[in-house]
Amino acid sequence: MMEGTSLRKLLVSIVIVMMMVELTKAELHYVGGNKAGWTPNTNFSEWTSHEKFLVGDWLYFGFNKVLYTVFEVNETSYEKCIVQDFIKNITKGGRDVFELTEAKKYYFICKDYCFGGMKVAINVQDIPAPAPAPDKNASPSNHSIQVTPVMVLAIAMIWAFLLSIISQ
């Protein structure tokens, strides 16, 4: 009897964690488009044009730490390729991450290769608000439910739990 209770608690915990992960889908963006994209021969403007950056997302800078650096700077330093009064030195080990914590424009440059185009501006947006509640006067046929894998798993686990109680 105790083993069944522990198993149920474990299953419920797993479902709760999965639902939380589903709700907080932070995305990891490989700067330049791949794990080693922080290089002088990358078109960062082209890359950012295909990305959507939201608060809570992460940037992954993959690079040769002997040759390249990553500094967060202000807009003026970005445009003039100046590292002097940088905001943050991201350079650690060549596989470095940076969390986008607020909706604003972030600027990153490489100290020695900025003039060669090794710089990127990231425009971060707020997380979109959830869809508004359905109109109470609308007919039921106008509503649709989006079923996610987490919902299917949660329903299956609830059914398994209820069946285990009935069979006792």
Side-chain angles (χ1 to χ4, degrees):
M1 180 77 171
M2 185 64 168
E3 288 179 16
T5 304
S6 297
L7 179 60
R8 279 186 230 128
K9 286 181 182 177
L10 176 63
L11 292 175
V12 169
S13 298
I14 290 171
V15 169
I16 290 170
V17 169
M18 289 179 73
M19 286 179 174
M20 289 171 59
V21 168
E22 184 75 17
L23 293 174
T24 59
K25 285 185 176 178
E27 188 169 335
L28 178 65
H29 300 272
Y30 291 97
V31 176
N34 60 56
K35 289 184 179 181
W38 186 241
T39 60
N41 59 354
T42 302
N43 185 337
F44 295 106
S45 296
E46 171 69 20
W47 172 71
T48 57
S49 71
H50 300 291
E51 299 287 316
K52 183 174 184 178
F53 303 97
L54 299 175
V55 172
D57 285 356
W58 291 81
L59 300 177
Y60 175 94
F61 291 90
F63 58 96
N64 181 333
K65 70 178 183 174
V66 175
L67 298 175
Y68 310 123
T69 57
V70 184
F71 289 90
E72 180 188 5
V73 295
N74 63 33
E75 183 177 9
T76 303
S77 294
Y78 172 82
E79 290 173 3
K80 295 180 178 181
C81 289
I82 300 170
V83 176
Q84 187 173 0
D85 293 321
F86 65 87
I87 297 169
K88 185 172 184 179
N89 182 351
I90 312 301
T91 311
K92 301 279 185 285
R95 292 188 260 330
D96 304 321
V97 294
F98 181 87
E99 184 178 12
L100 303 169
T101 58
E102 59 184 292
K104 69 175 193 173
K105 200 156 194 176
Y106 289 85
Y107 301 93
F108 301 94
I109 65 173
C110 176
K111 179 181 178 183
D112 296 326
Y113 292 88
C114 181
F115 285 111
M118 204 166 163
K119 60 184 188 175
V120 64
I122 306 290
N123 190 22
V124 179
Q125 301 170 12
D126 276 320
I127 298 171
D135 182 3
K136 292 180 183 176
N137 297 326
S139 66
S141 62
N142 291 340
H143 302 292
S144 63
I145 297 174
Q146 182 180 2
V147 179
T148 65
V150 171
M151 289 174 61
V152 171
L153 179 61
I155 291 168
M157 292 179 76
I158 291 168
W159 273 108
F161 173 72
L162 292 173
L163 290 173
S164 71
I165 290 174
I166 293 170
S167 65
Q168 289 180 358

